Amino acid sequence: ICEPMINAGLALQCHDAVVQYSSLRLQELQNSVVSTSREKSRVQIAENQRKTRSKSAGDVMYIVRHMALSLSKKHESDALIGLQKWVNLTFSSLLEERQQSAKDNPTSGPFSWITGLVHQADGEYEKAAAFFTHLLQTEEFLSSMGADGIQFTIERVIESYAAISDWRSLDSWLV
């Protein structure tokens, strides 16, 4: 029931609902990841983890993306920093190829883009635009985010420039 409620919150731009149901869904995914790793049969573990890992990783990224955006719209920069640390710790094993960089530095790895949303939440749109632009220029970020994540980041750059009415910078960035 969480995912339809998240989608309803997104459609209605009800950020509180998105945050509430996203946090519930992330807890479900956390429990799923933990229970999958406790399976007894090694054959079952390998098969289940392979299937679950791919689906769960996509679900986590989708849900964190929308939850973080809602927190940013509510100007909850401290909550965003906490979310970034929690998802890096909780889901780093799920996103294992990026695990080391995420643990060493929360501003790198699969959830590095949350730092840009922290800047937006604080009203630092120039910093946010620069941060997101920098991410889009790094090979590590581009290879880890997928098409949806890259599109999300591009939308944040456009949103940042529009928030400060810097149409010249936006135009030059788009070209």
Side-chain angles (χ1 to χ4, degrees), residues 30 82-94 99 102-103 111:
Q30 176 189 21
L83 174 66
Q84 185 178 35
K85 289 179 181 179
W86 183 77
V87 294
N88 274 327
L89 290 172
T90 305
F91 296 108
S92 62
S93 64
L94 183 64
Q99 182 175 358
K103 283 185 177 177
F111 302 106

Side-chain angles (χ1 to χ4, degrees), residues 29-161:
L29 288 168
Q30 176 189 21
N31 292 337
S32 172
V33 169
V34 169
S35 68
T36 300
S37 65
R38 290 183 182 165
E39 293 285 327
K40 293 182 180 167
S41 165
R42 294 218 186 269
V43 174
Q44 284 179 330
I45 290 174
E47 187 64 24
N48 284 344
Q49 281 183 343
R50 191 169 46 90
K51 289 177 184 175
T52 306
R53 212 174 270 281
S54 177
K55 170 116 175 65
S56 295
D59 289 348
V60 166
M61 293 303 281
Y62 173 83
I63 292 165
V64 170
R65 222 177 273 135
H66 290 295
M67 182 178 184
L69 183 58
S70 290
L71 288 170
S72 177
K73 300 282 185 196
K74 292 172 45 116
H75 304 284
E76 297 282 354
S77 57
D78 291 337
L80 280 165
I81 292 167
L83 174 66
Q84 185 178 35
K85 289 179 181 179
W86 183 77
V87 294
N88 274 327
L89 290 172
T90 305
F91 296 108
S92 62
S93 64
L94 183 64
L95 306 162
E96 63 187 292
E97 65 273 2
R98 296 161 244 167
Q99 182 175 358
Q100 192 58 40
S101 64
K103 283 185 177 177
D104 292 345
N105 182 3
T107 60
S108 67
F111 302 106
S112 58
W113 50 269
I114 294 176
T115 302
L117 290 177
V118 171
H119 293 310
Q120 282 188 332
D122 287 338
E124 300 172 338
Y125 295 103
E126 295 93 346
K127 271 185 162 178
F131 185 82
F132 287 126
T133 300
H134 171 73
L135 284 180
L136 289 167
Q137 294 171 345
T138 61
E139 186 65 35
E140 177 188 355
F141 178 80
L142 293 173
S143 64
S144 70
M145 287 306 289
D148 290 342
I150 293 169
Q151 181 63 38
F152 177 85
T153 307
I154 291 170
E155 290 168 4
R156 302 294 71 80
V157 173
I158 294 168
E159 186 178 82
S160 294
Y161 284 128

